[in-house]
Amino acid sequence: MSNSIDDIQKEVVEEFSMLDGDMEMTINYIMELGEQLPPMSDSSKTDDNIVKGCQSKVWLNADFKDNKIFFEADSNTAITKGLVSILVRILSGRSPKEIVDADLRFIDQMGLNRFIGTQRSNGLGAMMKQIKIYGLAYSTKIN
Amino acid sequence: MSQILETQKLDIQKIREEFPILHQQVNGKPLVYFDNAATNQKPQRVIDALVHYYQHDNANINRGVHTLAERATAAYENTRKSVQKFINANEVEEVIFTKGTSESINLVASSWGRKFLNQGDEVLISAMEHHSNIVPWQMICEERGATLRVMPINQAGEIIVEALDDLITERTKMVAFNHASNSLGTINPIELIIKKAHAVGAKVLVDGAQATAHLPIDVKALNVDFYAFSAHKMYGPTGTGVLYGKRSLLEKMPPYQGGGEMIKEVSFSKTTYNDIPYKFEAGTPGIANVIALNEAINFINELGKANIAAHELNLLNYATNALNAIDGANIIGTAKDKVSVASFVVEGIHHFDLGMWMDAKGVAVRTGHHCTQPLMDFYGIEGTTRASFAVYNTVEEIDIFIDALNSIIKRFNK
């Protein structure tokens, strides 16, 4: 992969800045991103892969190939699915070290805190934590 | 609602002027506040009372001899008298100030429960209780070896009255249920249940959190043993509530918490407790909040509960008809008698998405299980979207809400 995590984060922030902070356009765009997320295979949509928030549910599956972690994800809510798709876009296909070291600034920079503000309300915060845990787990595997 | 006999039409625009918070934009749209069952907004006079107290009268109550302490105490006790009148309690000492409905229920479960519940006894709640009227009873039942039983409901969200005779028996020691449901809006047949409970010698606690801003409350006529409610759901401040209890019961109950104000004399070998209500008011309470609650009561009294209820019923009917006309929208909670709560689900749209979209359009609604998970299980749903109305809401706002809903549904069907 040629683009670094930071490059893609910058790209995402630029895309969202074009929406001028308009909440309806932001939500609409997040949903569109979710609609483009490749469907998660049913075999990966297991209870073990559920990262649970209070109001929405996220499925996250990690595959380890060629020293890289590939994420597949889905959510039962359209907005969370869109947010999840951004995380997958930024972090899937990275080395465990890149994932562990990743500083996910885009959420602050895009004003997306509003969407994960209370960790209780959706599974995104929990998903970010889970992704980091996968990163750590696979980096010890390599070592 | 049968209570409404003659009502007077309220000037809603004038009422709205009393609520500064309503006049703002949220996400670039005029705010439509439909989350009143969670907490309603405060009129200027309540806000003024809070400010006035801190600017002029702030002092700790009860034991001070100086002028400010005297003023603060008088204002605090004045609210107690207003509450007594508001719920028609026999005596002012039967009004205990708490942090809110949850604490009021915990107080009874803990204090009354520890003294009067024994192995084999039963506590009866309803299937539509808020977690705060489930968990305290579960906790005390576990501690005392008592059993928690549940009054069933029908699909409309009404307690199945025919089932009560089998459930309310000589083993029943407490029947605890809400006057009106926060998730469904159902107004429960409290007179009937109280009579049935008393017939077997059981005590009754009514959770009035969703009722006090909408329905007349007469604890004497109801002959209810305990009645719990929150100030912030009746245009008053957060963090303050009331427990009404019959003197004969409160006097037999041990204190709930230890501390200042609740004692007569303290030595290391023995403490004698203060009389009611102070026995149950340990520590410095939310003095400013209690004082401001008086203004919230004045606000409701001036408008007249019957007038408020008539306006809200009008809003509820309007919203119900509009929701029923939307393909794919289903109202959860269709009881005959309801307070102004419209809870609904929309096929194919998760309530979280709906709530976020509504917010983007300036409409504040509540989404989720509303702290009634067993009730959501009954309906086989994860949660609902809930629009709940207060006296300052308008039909025009419901139109905005329905337009928003239609455009969100359109987006999802794209």
Side-chain angles (χ1 to χ4, degrees):
Chain A
M1 187 149 311
S2 52
N3 290 328
S4 68
I5 285 180
D6 275 355
D7 289 340
I8 301 199
Q9 285 200 76
K10 234 178 262 166
E11 218 176 88
V12 171
V13 171
E14 266 164 38
E15 283 166 28
F16 273 84
S17 71
M18 281 156 58
L19 304 172
D20 262 350
D22 181 283
M23 196 51 83
E24 287 196 69
M25 292 203 297
T26 303
I27 292 182
N28 193 51
Y29 187 56
I30 290 172
M31 268 179 64
E32 277 175 12
L33 294 177
E35 283 153 5
Q36 290 157 22
L37 183 71
M40 194 174 186
S41 58
D42 281 343
S43 60
S44 302
K45 249 174 140 172
T46 61
D47 283 356
D48 284 346
N49 280 337
I50 289 176
V51 185
K52 212 175 175 318
C54 181
Q55 294 209 13
S56 59
K57 212 164 30 182
V58 168
W59 288 269
L60 176 69
N61 185 55
D63 274 323
F64 194 53
K65 262 187 298 195
D66 306 328
N67 285 341
K68 286 184 176 130
I69 309 176
F70 293 87
F71 293 108
E72 257 188 307
D74 199 355
S75 172
N76 63 337
T77 84
I79 294 169
T80 308
K81 187 173 176 179
L83 295 167
V84 156
S85 80
I86 302 173
L87 279 177
V88 170
R89 173 173 159 200
I90 294 172
L91 295 166
S92 189
R94 304 282 172 187
S95 71
K97 185 175 181 335
E98 279 180 291
I99 287 169
V100 172
D101 293 343
D103 174 13
L104 296 172
R105 288 187 304 261
F106 77 100
I107 289 178
D108 265 342
Q109 290 172 350
M110 289 162 53
L112 282 190
N113 277 322
R114 170 73 189 80
F115 292 91
I116 53 164
T118 52
Q119 296 223 347
R120 281 169 56 171
S121 67
N122 66 40
L124 194 73
M127 176 176 169
M128 288 166 59
K129 212 182 271 169
Q130 190 58 41
I131 284 178
K132 289 276 187 182
I133 290 169
Y134 277 123
L136 268 176
Y138 285 116
S139 58
T140 54
K141 211 169 182 180
I142 292 175
N143 296 334
Chain B
M1 282 183 284
S2 55
Q3 291 95 337
I4 302 164
L5 299 169
E6 276 176 44
T7 58
Q8 211 183 327
K9 210 160 162 37
L10 298 170
D11 183 349
I12 303 302
Q13 286 312 320
K14 209 174 135 214
I15 293 170
R16 287 181 71 82
E17 283 165 24
E18 285 199 58
F19 290 82
I21 203 169
L22 297 177
H23 309 282
Q24 65 174 301
Q25 302 228 317
V26 165
N27 292 318
K29 317 282 184 332
L31 168 66
V32 172
Y33 187 80
F34 281 173
D35 195 16
N36 295 288
T39 194
N40 52 27
Q41 301 301 347
K42 319 308 168 198
Q44 187 62 48
R45 63 178 94 182
V46 169
I47 301 166
D48 288 345
L50 289 167
V51 173
H52 184 273
Y53 168 76
Y54 284 118
Q55 283 180 339
H56 300 280
D57 302 332
N58 177 49
N60 211 334
I61 51 170
N62 292 335
R63 288 174 194 267
V65 294
H66 58 79
T67 303
L68 294 191
E70 179 47 37
R71 259 193 244 150
T73 304
Y76 186 87
E77 291 304 323
N78 219 8
T79 301
R80 207 188 298 273
K81 284 181 210 146
S82 297
V83 171
Q84 180 203 355
K85 255 199 232 154
F86 188 69
I87 60 173
N88 197 29
N90 261 324
E91 299 175 55
V92 71
E93 292 83 5
E94 293 175 323
V95 174
I96 296 160
F97 289 118
T98 64
K99 279 191 298 188
T101 309
S102 293
E103 192 184 39
S104 298
I105 297 170
N106 274 283
L107 191 164
V108 177
S110 172
S111 167
W112 178 89
R114 210 157 280 155
K115 176 125 185 199
F116 293 102
L117 274 182
N118 292 303
Q119 186 87 31
D121 289 345
E122 290 178 0
V123 172
L124 184 62
I125 61 173
S126 90
M128 65 175 101
E129 293 313 308
H130 190 282
H131 294 165
S132 64
N133 202 22
I134 302 174
V135 183
W137 299 113
Q138 271 174 337
M139 287 161 63
I140 195 67
C141 281
E142 201 183 337
E143 189 183 318
R144 303 296 302 166
T147 306
L148 189 68
R149 302 194 71 188
V150 182
M151 294 184 257
I153 58 171
N154 60 24
Q155 277 299 315
E158 299 163 317
I159 289 174
I160 299 172
V161 175
E162 295 75 27
L164 294 182
D165 289 337
D166 287 336
L167 281 167
I168 301 176
T169 68
E170 69 282 357
R171 285 187 303 276
T172 313
K173 291 295 175 293
M174 169 62 75
V175 182
F177 61 101
N178 60 54
H179 196 162
S181 153
N182 72 311
S183 294
L184 307 174
T186 310
I187 300 171
N188 283 312
I190 63 173
E191 295 89 343
L192 177 82
I193 299 174
I194 291 169
K195 274 195 191 117
K196 284 186 184 291
H198 284 168
V200 298
K203 303 299 175 211
V204 175
L205 177 141
V206 171
D207 164 2
Q210 297 296 334
T212 41
H214 314 282
L215 305 172
I217 317 291
D218 185 335
V219 293
K220 211 190 294 177
L222 288 170
N223 194 21
V224 67
D225 301 294
F226 300 102
Y227 196 93
F229 58 98
S230 297
H232 74 98
K233 291 192 204 291
M234 48 181 283
Y235 309 102
T238 55
T240 286
V242 169
L243 172 68
Y244 158 81
K246 283 181 183 164
R247 173 185 281 276
S248 55
L249 286 166
L250 293 175
E251 282 182 340
K252 284 187 206 130
M253 286 158 54
Y256 168 56
Q257 290 175 332
E261 299 308 343
M262 53 76 71
I263 50 90
K264 258 197 184 111
E265 277 178 71
V266 176
S267 74
F268 285 120
S269 57
K270 186 170 171 57
T271 293
T272 50
Y273 302 124
N274 206 337
D275 297 326
I276 62 163
Y278 308 108
K279 181 170 82 172
F280 294 108
E281 293 181 2
T284 300
I287 302 169
N289 293 343
V290 168
I291 290 170
L293 168 60
N294 209 356
E295 285 303 322
I297 291 173
N298 289 340
F299 171 77
I300 292 173
N301 286 342
E302 279 173 30
L303 295 179
K305 266 212 195 149
N307 301 327
I308 296 173
H311 172 65
E312 290 174 344
L313 184 62
N314 188 34
L315 295 176
L316 178 68
N317 288 340
Y318 189 85
T320 302
N321 290 337
L323 284 168
N324 281 337
I326 294 176
D327 239 8
N330 289 304
I331 294 179
I332 304 293
T334 50
K336 264 203 301 294
D337 287 330
K338 281 176 69 173
V339 291
S340 47
V341 167
S343 226
F344 61 97
V345 292
V346 180
E347 280 162 34
I349 306 181
H350 194 280
H351 50 77
F352 171 78
D353 291 329
L354 202 45
M356 292 296 284
W357 266 109
M358 281 283 175
D359 179 61
K361 291 171 180 292
V363 182
V365 290
R366 182 132 311 232
T367 60
H369 53 61
H370 316 296
C371 293
T372 54
Q373 276 180 326
L375 180 63
M376 297 297 117
D377 291 344
F378 170 78
Y379 283 106
I381 54 179
E382 268 181 63
T384 73
T385 300
R386 181 186 71 187
S388 52
F389 314 114
V391 68
Y392 43 67
N393 289 128
T394 65
V395 163
E396 290 73 26
E397 287 182 304
I398 295 176
D399 285 338
I400 294 171
F401 157 73
I402 293 292
D403 283 350
L405 182 55
N406 276 320
S407 79
I408 295 164
I409 292 173
K410 213 160 152 196
R411 167 61 182 86
F412 273 81
N413 292 337
K414 196 166 88 175

